[in-house]
Structure formats: structure tokens, C-alpha cells
Amino acid sequence: KNEVEQSPQNLTAQEGEFITINCSYSVGISALHWLQQHPGGGIVSLFMLSSGKKKHGRLIATINIQEKHSSLHITASHPRDSAVYICAVFPSGGGADGLTFGKGTHLIIQP
Amino acid sequence: EAGVAQSPRYKIIEKRQSVAFWCNPISGHATLYWYQQILGQGPKLLIQFQNNGVVDDSQLPKDRFSAERLKGVDSTLKIQPAKLEDSAVYLCASSPPQPSSYNEQFFGPGTRLTVL
């Protein structure tokens, strides 16, 4: 069974701090998805990656396939970054579309 | 391009009542997913459609939940009768028909259901 573990579960930081959220998974994957969920429920896709590193604005996502680990970094954090960040993986082998989700990391950035 | 549309955004019902949710995926997206997200947890897949056929409904509580995508475009998810533990956000997502081992999913805003 594929498990996706995120850490920390909750994180409160001051505006401007560098933020790191970690994701570990237990099976081989085709790709990993970082998602952002604001209060109210809607989910926005931040990154989908299968190797290396991607950067978009102040957000950076890295993945190490061999170690089954990914990190999401936020530089110069801002209160509007406050949200739940969810890691989801596409298991490899067999064309499955199904995502396995972590429980999310609840991030609060205080001004 | 327009995103995934869902309605209603919020719904409050009493237990044992029925409720239906609607989803319209992004135009041209063949695959449609319904997820249930209970507070404090990640989303759980309820059912996946490929066009108008069901690909995976293994986690759908079929005694009370049903879903259809008759014309392979929009979809409805129904709960009948609702239980207190059905209180959750119901998310719809769609993905395009790409020749890849994985498809990026695009999520709708969700419907927050409260069962009293």
C-alpha cells in the first residue's frame, strides 16, 4: 500500500522566513504533485514533477526519486502563502491515473 | 480556458436527506474524478470516469453514493441518504487525454457539505 507522509503537519512562521515542507512516499511513482488548498476547499496545482527541481516565483519544488522524497520551499514567505499544502503521488506501473494524497501541511504566515 | 466548475459551493442538509453535486470538467478532458476530503485529511478518490465509463469506484460507498457521467461530459454525484460522517468537501477534478503514464489533474472549487 502506498503511503504518503508529510511533515510538518502544522507550521507557523513569520513573514519573510524560508519555509520547507517535506513529503515522503513508499512506492515507486511516475510523478509527484504539489497542491495548494485555501480555506473554502479549492485546490490549485503548484507543481508536477518527476525529477530534479522546478521553480515558479518564490516557490521551489525538488524531488529525489531514489530516496522517495520531495520538498516544497517558499522563499520570502508572505501572509498570502497561508494555506494547506498537499503532496500527491502518481504510482508507477500500469497507467493508473489515481493520485495518493498526503494529509497536508497547514501553513500560517504571520505578518 | 474555463476551469472545472462545481455547484453548489455549499450545502447543509439533515441526516437521512438526499443531496446531489454537479461537476463540469474542462472542455476536452476525458477523465473526471470525484474526491471526498474530510477535515484534516487529504482527498480520497471516490470514483474515476474515462469518458462515460467507470474506471475505478472501489472506494465509493455504493449503498448510499452514486455517480454518473451519462454523456461523457458533466457529472453528478448523489448521496442518498446522507449520514453525519458524509460531512466533507467534495472535489471534482479532470485531466486531459494525454499519451503519458500520468496526467495532471485540474481541480474544481469543491462543494462543502455539512450534514446535521
Side-chain angles (χ1 to χ4, degrees):
Chain A
K1 181 183 175 184
N2 186 23
E3 300 286 343
V4 179
E5 298 289 337
Q6 287 187 235
S7 63
Q9 290 187 356
N10 298 282
L11 177 58
T12 300
Q14 296 298 312
E15 182 173 358
E17 287 189 38
F18 181 81
I19 303 299
T20 296
I21 299 170
N22 296 299
C23 175
S24 297
Y25 49 91
S26 58
V27 300
I29 66 169
S30 298
L32 181 144
H33 218 152
W34 279 106
L35 307 163
Q36 181 191 56
Q37 187 171 32
H38 281 282
I43 289 179
V44 174
S45 173
L46 297 175
F47 298 103
M48 188 171 71
L49 65 166
S50 56
S51 65
K53 175 180 172 179
K54 286 190 176 181
K55 184 177 188 294
H56 185 257
R58 296 181 294 105
L59 301 177
I60 303 167
T62 63
I63 189 169
N64 186 317
I65 294 292
Q66 287 74 29
E67 294 186 2
K68 295 185 170 63
H69 180 269
S70 176
S71 294
L72 176 68
H73 306 286
I74 305 175
T75 61
S77 59
H78 190 276
R80 65 176 174 266
D81 297 326
S82 299
V84 176
Y85 293 84
I86 301 172
C87 170
V89 300
F90 295 92
S92 60
D97 284 342
L99 283 167
T100 301
F101 294 81
K103 291 185 177 181
T105 294
H106 189 190
L107 174 66
I108 297 174
I109 303 296
Q110 295 178 335
Chain B
E1 77 185 351
V4 176
Q6 287 189 247
S7 67
R9 291 295 316 278
Y10 304 92
K11 188 73 177 179
I12 300 174
I13 61 173
E14 294 187 350
K15 60 183 179 183
R16 291 189 289 274
Q17 286 187 322
S18 301
V19 65
F21 313 127
W22 175 81
C23 172
N24 194 20
I26 293 172
S27 177
H29 281 198
T31 310
L32 185 148
Y33 312 80
W34 281 104
Y35 292 93
Q36 179 194 57
Q37 186 179 22
I38 293 172
L39 185 66
Q41 299 181 19
K44 180 184 83 171
L45 179 69
L46 293 175
I47 189 167
Q48 176 185 339
F49 291 96
Q50 180 75 18
N51 296 309
N52 62 350
V54 175
V55 174
D56 182 358
D57 63 357
S58 56
Q59 298 195 83
L60 187 74
K62 298 181 185 63
D63 57 333
R64 298 184 300 105
F65 285 65
S66 64
E68 59 184 16
R69 194 185 184 200
L70 293 176
K71 297 182 179 179
V73 181
D74 58 343
S75 175
T76 55
L77 175 70
K78 296 179 181 178
I79 308 175
Q80 181 179 8
K83 293 185 176 181
L84 296 176
E85 59 261 35
D86 298 332
S87 294
V89 174
Y90 291 85
L91 294 158
C92 179
S94 68
S95 61
Q98 294 174 350
S100 164
S101 62
Y102 55 88
N103 291 332
E104 183 173 7
Q105 295 184 26
F106 297 82
F107 287 83
T111 296
R112 183 176 294 277
L113 173 68
T114 301
V115 182
L116 302 176

